[in-house]
Amino acid sequence: MTKALVLGGGGVAGVAWELGVLDSLFAAGVDLTDADLVVGTSAGSVVAAQICSGEALSALCDRQSDSGSELKAPGNFADLIDAFVGALAGNPEEDERNRRIGKIALSATTVDESARRDVILSRLPSTQWPARNLVITAVDVETGEFVTFDQASGVELVDAIGASCAVPGVWPPVTIGDRRFMDGGVRSIANSDLADGYDVIVVLAPLTGTLGRPFAAEIDALRVSGSVVEVVEGDATSLTAFGADPLDPATRIPALAEGRRQGAAFVTRLAEIWR
C-alpha cells in the first residue's frame, strides 16, 4: 500500500494548525509523517520540510511559541483578496489567471527578498533536502507555469519553500536562476492532484479557498481514480482562530491548539486507513 500526505496552504496559522493535527494524531499512534510521498504547498511546504527533517513533532510544535523571527505581513488581507478577485474577472484560463496574479506579485511593495529568505531559514530544522519523496509547489510569475521542486531539481530547499510561500502582493517573488516564482497556492490551495496514483491519501487543508483550482473537484478526481482519500480541513472554530489575517504570527498559538483538537477527532478514521 502506498501512502501520500498532502499539506495545503494557510499562512502562518496554517503551519501551526497542520503541526497541531499531525502532533495530535502522532500522540494517538497515527504517524502520517511516514508517508511515501509528501506534497507541500505554501504553508504546507514549510510543514512538509519540517516533518521530513527528522525533528520530533513535539519540538516543531514548541517552535510555534517563538515568533521573534517572523515578519508581520504588510497591508490588509481583505484588500489582497479583493485584488485577486479583480484579477479573475472574465474567468481567464489557468495560465492567464496565474500571469495576472503574477503582475500583482511583481508590482507590490514588499520587504527585500533576503529578509524574507531569512524568515524561511528560521523555520527549517535543516536546509538539506531530505532523503524522502518531498515535492514543493510554486508558480512562475511571468509565464504562469506551475512548477514542482524536489531533491533532483537542483534548487536549494530554502528557495523552493520561499517560492512556495511567496504570497503575491505580500511577499516578494523568489528568484531562482533567471526566473521568479510565487506561491504554489495560486494554482491550487493544496495541489492534491500530485498524489494521484497513491493508494491512500490524507490531505490537510487549513483553508480550502477559491483562488485556484476547485479544492473539492481535486479530491473527487482522486477518489474516482481509485484512491482512498481523507481530508482534514479547518472547521468553523479553527477558522475563527485563524482570524481575519492567517498571515499574522499572533495566530500561531490558537491555530496550533485547534489543529490538535481537530486531529484528535480524526484518530479513529485515519488509523483505519493509514496503518
Side-chain angles (χ1 to χ4, degrees):
M1 181 180 75
T2 56
K3 302 180 292 186
L5 174 63
V6 177
L7 301 165
V12 292
V15 171
W17 182 87
E18 290 177 1
L19 287 172
V21 172
L22 292 168
D23 188 49
S24 182
L25 289 166
F26 182 82
V30 183
D31 183 10
L32 297 186
T33 71
D34 68 357
D36 301 297
L37 168 70
V38 181
V39 177
T41 292
S42 199
S45 72
V46 174
V47 177
Q50 289 178 336
I51 64 173
C52 288
S53 73
E55 184 164 336
L57 276 167
S58 58
L60 294 172
C61 289
D62 288 345
R63 283 171 173 256
Q64 298 306 302
S65 63
D66 177 16
S67 59
S69 58
E70 293 289 337
L71 297 171
K72 180 71 169 66
N76 182 286
F77 191 71
D79 290 342
L80 180 64
I81 296 300
D82 288 343
F84 290 160
V85 170
L88 304 182
N91 194 30
E93 53 87 23
E94 184 172 288
D95 283 353
E96 173 60 22
R97 181 192 69 217
N98 293 351
R99 286 191 290 270
R100 291 183 186 181
I101 294 174
K103 289 180 180 179
I104 294 174
L106 291 171
S107 64
T109 300
T110 67
V111 300
D112 187 76
E113 272 193 69
S114 62
R116 178 61 176 165
R117 193 175 196 270
D118 287 344
V119 171
I120 301 299
L121 274 170
S122 73
R123 297 175 177 176
L124 302 182
S126 171
T127 59
Q128 301 301 309
W129 282 93
R132 297 278 303 279
N133 191 5
L134 169 63
V135 176
I136 304 298
T137 69
V139 172
D140 186 304
V141 294
E142 294 186 344
T143 67
E145 177 190 0
F146 176 64
V147 298
T148 59
F149 302 115
D150 59 19
Q151 188 179 27
S153 64
V155 172
E156 289 190 48
L157 179 63
V158 63
D159 292 327
I161 295 171
S164 192
C165 292
V167 180
V170 177
W171 305 121
V174 170
T175 303
I176 300 175
D178 60 356
R179 301 172 70 181
R180 302 191 75 192
F181 297 94
M182 62 183 172
D183 200 313
V186 170
R187 187 250 192 182
S188 163
I189 194 67
N191 294 294
S192 307
D193 58 309
L194 295 182
D196 186 33
Y198 282 76
D199 297 318
V200 175
I201 304 167
V202 173
V203 182
L204 303 190
L207 301 176
T208 56
T210 57
L211 176 60
R213 295 184 174 189
F215 176 76
E218 281 190 352
I219 301 302
D220 289 344
L222 290 172
R223 288 173 174 152
V224 168
S225 72
S227 298
V228 175
V229 185
E230 188 69 31
V231 178
V232 184
E233 63 182 84
D235 62 14
T237 305
S238 288
L239 295 179
T240 298
F242 298 170
D245 183 3
L247 303 179
D248 186 345
T251 63
R252 300 206 296 181
I253 297 303
L256 177 67
E258 294 307 325
R260 282 177 166 146
R261 174 187 60 81
Q262 286 201 252
F266 278 81
V267 168
T268 301
R269 172 58 180 153
L270 293 182
E272 290 175 356
I273 67 170
W274 197 260
R275 289 174 179 165

